[in-house]
Amino acid sequence: MEKIVKKGETDVASLSWDAIFQVKEGRKKLGEQMPVEVYRMFEYSLRATLTQMYGKESMIKAFRTAGEMAGREFYKRNLDGDLMLNDFLAQIQQKLLEYNFGLLRVEKFDVQTGHAVLTVSEDLDCSGLPVSGETVCNYDEGFIAGILNAYTKKEYVVTEIDCWATGDTVCRFDAKVKE
Ligand SMILES: [Zn+2]
């Protein structure tokens, strides 16, 4: 049956988000968990393929855009936008821990400008990777931007400034409101 996507609803490869989240039903024996290696195989093979096909810049853009889409959906499903900033940040931290995404810490959040600096340790995407000199958590950049955008209603540009892949032990994200 053809799926009709309503206006304003994000079309994820012609499936709805609800359909994608029906994991319990489809994986009665295997359940909802899987090894991080599987996630990383998917992520890094896709990075390599997109780079080969469209170049590195487009690959990064694709990961950021996808992350942002997912971040907004994560906000809708898991976060309470009515919370005051500090409680909201604590809730993100708790949810990212619950989902084994990573350990979030808010180093700075300037309420005047919206500028934030966040760190994620044991990040799902990169923790343990060899040093390549380049940050790799572009999906997370988008994911954080998507959450902050949904909460503040402002457009965010998030840049990873430290990463396991640049020799750091945490990923550090600089989040600025787009001018
Ligand atoms: Zn990283």
Side-chain angles (χ1 to χ4, degrees), residues 123-154:
D123 188 274
L124 185 56
D125 300 81
C126 72
S127 301
L129 284 191
V131 177
S132 65
E134 280 179 80
T135 61
V136 294
C137 301
N138 312 110
Y139 180 81
D140 299 356
E141 290 172 328
F143 197 83
I144 293 168
I147 291 175
L148 293 178
N149 164 248
Y151 180 70
T152 64
K153 312 286 178 249
K154 288 174 185 148

Side-chain angles (χ1 to χ4, degrees), residues 20-115:
I20 286 170
F21 280 88
Q22 278 165 26
V23 180
K24 261 189 196 133
E25 226 169 277
R27 284 172 58 100
K28 292 211 166 73
K29 281 202 196 88
L30 296 176
E32 293 178 276
Q33 306 295 319
M34 54 116 188
V36 174
E37 289 93 322
V38 177
Y39 170 86
R40 287 190 180 175
M41 279 202 297
F42 176 70
E43 178 178 10
Y44 285 93
S45 59
L46 189 58
R47 283 178 77 88
T49 305
L50 289 176
T51 303
Q52 273 168 19
M53 291 170 79
Y54 307 111
K56 198 164 157 189
E57 219 172 283
S58 298
M59 175 276 287
I60 288 173
K61 202 173 164 193
F63 267 86
R64 281 192 185 134
T65 307
E68 208 168 326
M69 191 192 279
R72 278 195 294 268
E73 189 62 25
F74 187 82
Y75 170 88
K76 258 203 260 170
R77 286 172 184 270
N78 296 294
L79 302 170
D80 177 2
D82 292 334
L83 291 176
M84 298 298 284
L85 181 65
N86 282 343
D87 292 335
F88 179 71
L89 295 172
Q91 190 183 46
I92 304 176
Q93 190 175 43
Q94 192 232 323
K95 287 292 171 187
L96 293 184
L97 176 65
E98 233 171 74
Y99 281 94
N100 292 333
F101 196 106
L103 307 163
L104 178 82
R105 227 167 62 84
V106 181
E107 286 191 339
K108 174 188 163 166
F109 203 115
D110 186 325
V111 282
Q112 300 300 322
T113 61
H115 176 229

